[in-house]
Amino acid sequence: MDALTLLHDRSSMGKLGAPAPDAGQLEVIYQAALRAPDHKELRPWRFIEFSGEGRERLGELYAEAEFQADPDATDATLNSARKKPLRAPMIIAVIAKVSPDVPGVPKLEQVLSAGCAAHGILLAAHAQGLGAMWRTGKYAFDKVVHKGLGLSENDELVGFLYLGTLGGRHKPVAVHATADFVERWG
Ligand SMILES: Cc1cc2nc3c(=O)[nH]c(=O)nc-3n(C[C@H](O)[C@H](O)[C@H](O)COP(=O)(O)O)c2cc1C
């Protein structure tokens, strides 16, 4: 697949089955992430890979977040939280590891850099015929989850990237008119 076809045709896949990406595919994926634009080479990234029972540990963290938010949360609510990470054989949490007070590189730039790393992961997964989907949801912004994953005060959880084998067909890619988004100061 050539680079422009990849950029134009990348598509998310919510239905993801086993197997998870193998070690070789993951190395390609992480190398793509590590090529994200990076002001002052701060490397403001941290990736946590969840597979197998690791997904259950993440689910327990989600359930703990529900319980801390509402100690009267029902078993159905807690179990629903526990099951969320089981929607794919692998999840990569992308964290913006923010260095505060770096002159000229405000937090926004470091978070954007982590977002670019996440996009690199999606692109490298798609290029290898894998399925991937970027998800956040409330747990990405939850303090209990942040603490459990070891985020520092300035860090941000940019997304949970669900990865696996395609479980269906990609929906057709929407084609947008550039004129709707582009202004030209000629
Ligand atoms: C930061 C971010 C967070 C997202 N979180 C969710 C989410 O929690 N749930 C969801 O269904 N889609 C979420 N999406 C959207 C999907 O990842 C996907 O981009 C969207 O369904 C459009 O599909 P496409 O990527 O094939 O165009 C998120 C996208 C971004 C960029």
Side-chain angles (χ1 to χ4, degrees):
M1 185 183 295
D2 72 82
L4 289 178
T5 302
L6 174 62
L7 285 170
H8 291 171
D9 289 355
R10 181 211 59 81
S11 191
S12 298
M13 173 52 67
K15 287 185 194 161
L16 296 163
D22 64 28
Q25 291 168 322
L26 285 168
E27 181 61 19
V28 170
I29 281 171
Y30 288 124
Q31 288 298 335
L34 297 174
R35 276 306 304 140
D38 173 18
H39 196 177
K40 292 203 178 170
E41 300 184 352
L42 297 179
R43 311 280 183 254
W45 315 300
R46 197 178 143 219
F47 307 103
I48 310 177
E49 194 180 288
F50 302 92
S51 61
E53 289 181 6
R55 297 169 306 154
E56 288 163 31
R57 287 173 59 196
L58 181 60
E60 282 305 327
L61 208 47
Y62 287 178
E64 178 64 19
E66 288 289 350
F67 181 75
Q68 294 289 337
D70 176 12
D72 295 324
T74 64
D75 282 349
T77 299
L78 299 180
N79 285 332
S80 163
R82 285 189 183 98
K83 281 187 193 148
K84 291 225 181 288
L86 304 180
R87 290 176 289 184
M90 179 171 283
I91 298 171
I92 297 175
V94 178
I95 293 157
K97 195 169 160 42
V98 176
S99 303
D101 310 322
V102 176
V105 194
K107 176 170 179 170
L108 174 63
E109 292 193 1
Q110 299 179 51
V111 175
L112 287 169
S113 194
C116 290
H119 193 208
I121 289 175
L122 297 184
L123 289 166
H126 192 90
Q128 296 182 92
L130 298 163
M133 180 146 177
W134 186 336
R135 294 181 186 273
T136 47
K138 63 182 178 182
Y139 302 120
F141 308 103
D142 189 287
K143 288 197 177 342
V144 173
V145 174
H146 283 197
K147 185 163 183 257
L149 298 180
L151 271 70
S152 300
E153 193 188 337
N154 288 298
D155 295 350
E156 297 290 346
L157 210 160
V158 166
F160 293 107
L161 306 186
Y162 284 60
L163 296 163
T165 302
L166 295 170
R169 293 163 72 96
H170 284 294
K171 62 180 188 300
V173 172
V175 178
H176 301 285
T178 52
D180 292 343
F181 302 95
V182 180
E183 298 166 37
R184 292 200 166 98
W185 291 29

